[in-house]
Amino acid sequence: MIYDLRQEMFARLLRLPTATFDQNSTGHMISRLLYDVNQVMQASTDVLTVLLRDSVTIVALIAYIFWLDWKLAMVIFLLAPVVAVTSVVLGRRMRRISRTLQQNFASMTHLLEESVRGHKVVKIYGGLPYEEHRFAKTSNITRQQMFKFKVSSGMSVPSVEFIGACLMALIIYLGTSMTQGDQMSVGAFVSFFTALGLLFSPIKRLTRINDPLQRGLAGAESIFGLIDEYPESESGTHRQDSVRGALRFERVEMQYDQTERNALGPIDLTVEPKTTVALVGASGSGKSTLVNLIPRLYDVTAGRILLDDVNLKDWQLENLRQHISFVSQEVLLFNDTVSNNIAYGSEVNRDAVRKAAEAANALDFIEGLPHGFDTLIGENGVRLSGGQRQRLAIARALYADAPILIFDEATSALDSHSERAVQQGLERLRRGRTTLIIAHRLSTIQHADTILVMSDGAIVESGDHTTLLQQGGVYRHLYDTQFATAPASEQ
């Protein structure tokens, strides 16, 4: 069951909308798959066994007690509500504390993930005391909650034992009076008292399982909360094996969750097939938002986007993304071989992998690695330089050979020499493909068919490089500002 839960959670996790990942920390997501599922484990094994076995024992003993003397047996039900109320009150408290513990463990996982991933920044900027304080604070809150949970858990069994002792004393008093009045034989009373004594062991065991049961129930709430999350909206049925690459934006608007104003739009734009469109503008102007809408990493708030005259929402999501290659400024590589990273999501074709690496100007450094294309590159390519990681990401996009290419600051981590070599490869690749390029270096997009200048989520200027320079507007200002301070090698 635990295996099935984890598989179902992971499958749903991969299909959640990008906005969900924006709103939840990585540590919180990981904690739900690891810590919360473990809470269910004991509740689904030991608790289930005790619950079934001892419940049957209790029912059988109570039936036997009633058969011996139903009047005396009714005394049990005078104190039964007290036991039930005590268990319910303590159970609710333990479940509430368990929910808090889950959140605290998620916070601890998040802090650990941040500190490990950012250990260089922590060391260089003297963040060791700050991180130790943050972790100690979270860890101490967890300790306090765990202490409260153990106190509540520890109170349950003594409470039942105290109530049981009172019940036994009352039964002895009443039973003695009944035997003296010949209302019950001594043998029947001994049998009754013995059965009553046997009744408390399974009751105590059932009380003890309240601890793992409440943990499991709290964990189950979190688990099924994730499983019940809405996945990416996928109602489309349209499929095509190949596309021309014609894109059209019609009054497109985009607003992120928990924000009051549009990040983009309204946008009206037509991208002709097999052309190159460059997007420039200040940070926060909406360039990345616009290109993220094409593979439907986010959905439009208003308007629509069409690929080959078909609304993106009408496409099957998997089929739509097969026609798109995407290289973002945040390079992500996997702890796998070079060849598996380049061919990620596809079968590895060694010749095609080599050609993609060569086009991305990555072949020289790959062949210099200890095992060439079979070299493990570590977590997120930690054994490579920033420029080398960027070139592998570009090689991955080249290997996919998609008709639509999106480059979001794809050459930002490259030196001038490597950038020129990659640009030559990109020039060859762009022929016959629809390409959208986001760039801050204007020197890299001067040969684009169309340059869009964006500001505050809107397109303020449009045209080729020469036309925009002659207009003397925003693009001209960006160009003059950049090249006035640029090294001679970039001009």
Side-chain angles (χ1 to χ4, degrees), residues 71-230:
K71 293 180 181 179
L72 190 59
M74 290 299 293
V75 177
I76 299 174
F77 289 95
L78 295 176
L79 296 178
V82 180
V83 176
V85 170
T86 303
S87 298
V88 169
V89 171
L90 291 176
R92 287 177 177 173
R93 175 174 170 79
M94 285 191 286
R95 195 184 309 183
R96 185 173 63 252
I97 295 172
S98 289
R99 293 192 193 104
T100 306
L101 277 170
Q102 287 170 191
Q103 296 171 358
N104 291 337
F105 273 104
S107 298
M108 289 178 65
T109 306
H110 175 63
L111 284 174
L112 284 168
E113 190 266 338
E114 276 191 332
S115 299
V116 171
R117 181 166 46 87
H119 69 96
K120 294 179 182 178
V121 175
V122 173
K123 292 175 181 176
I124 292 173
Y125 287 94
L128 295 174
Y130 174 71
E131 294 300 332
E132 288 174 354
H133 173 72
R134 279 210 305 167
F135 188 81
K137 182 179 178 180
T138 304
S139 184
N140 188 48
I141 293 173
T142 304
R143 178 189 64 83
Q144 292 170 349
Q145 294 298 321
M146 185 67 77
F147 184 80
K148 291 179 181 179
F149 186 91
K150 289 298 182 183
V151 168
S152 299
S153 174
M155 288 173 62
S156 57
V157 173
S159 299
V160 172
E161 289 178 339
F162 175 74
I163 294 170
C166 295
L167 180 62
M168 296 287 275
L170 181 60
I171 293 294
I172 291 172
Y173 171 76
L174 295 174
T176 303
S177 302
M178 294 175 69
T179 53
Q180 290 176 352
D182 295 329
Q183 297 176 0
M184 176 185 278
S185 68
V186 174
F189 175 72
V190 171
S191 298
F192 187 96
F193 193 78
T194 302
L196 187 64
L198 293 173
L199 187 63
F200 281 99
S201 291
I203 288 177
K204 285 196 293 184
R205 284 196 294 270
L206 284 177
T207 305
R208 288 193 186 99
I209 69 170
N210 209 21
D211 177 341
L213 179 62
Q214 297 305 325
R215 286 174 179 264
L217 290 174
E221 290 175 2
S222 174
I223 289 169
F224 289 105
L226 175 62
I227 292 175
D228 292 339
E229 287 269 8
Y230 288 106

Side-chain angles (χ1 to χ4, degrees), residues 4 13 26 123 163 198 242 251 289 323 326 329 346 482:
D4 289 342
L13 189 68
T26 304
K123 292 175 181 176
I163 294 170
L198 293 173
S242 62
R251 305 300 295 171
T289 299
H323 303 305
F326 195 107
Q329 52 190 326
S346 307
Q482 187 171 123

